[in-house]
Amino acid sequence: MAVGGISKVATWLTRLFQLFFAIILVGILSYMVHEFRHFHAKTPREVIVPEVFSVLAMVITGFSILAVFFLGYTLQLVAAFFDLVLFAGYLASSILLRHNYHRHARWDTLRNALISIRLAQGENGRPARTTGLVKLAVALCVIQTILFFFTTILSVLVARRTERERGLGEKKRHHGTV
């Protein structure tokens, strides 16, 4: 019983982090989309894809937080499936952002694109701010990939334990009434 409670609490806490990180990612990536559109430049896929999955993560994580404690076996499996989908989405986002993992920021393509479009319009390139935002977005995408992999496994474990406990409860009730 204690293991089931611990896994539920671990899943719930992990989902809160997923929700907070998704909100932060939506903010960062929306700012980048705004910058590209403001300067009439095409927004790259490595910004759009993680933003789409971060918006989805906000909605799905809200559902999944409820699923941990209040919903039954089937809906917990649905939450695990959604976790798997978001894991795949964040993995794809991390792969798209692969050209931004450099130790030295001057080689990061997204950072350079944002700075270039600002400089082309005669504005300040803001390299320090842009570097920080790109590095944070990349880090959060990688962290989200790990967290959604973790909650996919935890969700299946919690769902199986819930089903097992429900089955034991029904057996006890059945034997008690005979």
Side-chain angles (χ1 to χ4, degrees):
M1 188 69 151
V3 174
I6 291 171
S7 62
K8 282 185 177 184
V9 170
T11 303
W12 187 77
L13 287 173
T14 304
R15 291 197 186 288
L16 282 179
F17 281 113
Q18 289 171 336
L19 180 63
F20 295 147
F21 293 158
I23 291 169
I24 294 168
L25 270 169
V26 166
I28 293 169
L29 297 168
S30 294
Y31 170 76
M32 290 180 187
V33 168
H34 169 74
E35 287 292 297
F36 281 108
R37 288 189 178 163
H38 177 73
F39 294 111
H40 308 291
K42 183 180 181 218
T43 307
R45 286 182 309 199
E46 61 258 24
V47 175
I48 298 294
V49 172
E51 183 165 31
V52 167
F53 281 102
S54 294
V55 170
L56 288 173
M58 288 171 33
V59 174
I60 291 171
T61 303
F63 163 75
S64 298
I65 286 172
L66 293 174
V68 172
F69 289 108
F70 305 113
L71 303 177
Y73 171 74
T74 304
L75 291 176
Q76 287 181 4
L77 284 180
V78 169
F81 172 73
F82 286 146
D83 284 339
L84 183 63
V85 169
L86 289 171
F87 162 70
Y90 276 115
L91 183 63
S93 299
S94 297
I95 291 169
L96 285 173
L97 288 165
R98 71 187 176 279
H99 298 296
N100 298 289
Y101 294 162
H102 296 64
R103 181 174 176 203
H104 299 288
R106 67 180 176 270
W107 296 329
D108 293 343
T109 57
L110 185 57
R111 171 200 175 265
N112 293 338
L114 284 164
I115 291 172
S116 295
I117 61 169
R118 285 190 198 113
L119 292 175
Q121 298 294 322
E123 293 196 18
N124 182 351
R126 297 181 262 181
R129 176 192 298 176
T130 304
T131 299
L133 288 176
V134 169
K135 292 294 184 192
L136 182 59
V138 168
L140 288 177
C141 277
V142 171
I143 290 169
Q144 287 286 69
T145 303
I146 294 165
L147 290 178
F148 276 104
F149 178 74
F150 181 65
T151 55
T152 300
I153 294 168
L154 273 178
S155 294
V156 170
L157 292 175
V158 168
R160 289 181 71 201
R161 180 165 296 281
T162 301
E163 180 65 13
R164 200 175 309 129
E165 288 173 0
R166 189 177 78 174
L168 289 175
E170 287 176 4
K171 283 182 182 178
K172 287 180 182 177
R173 261 185 287 143
H174 178 65
H175 289 295
T177 59
V178 174

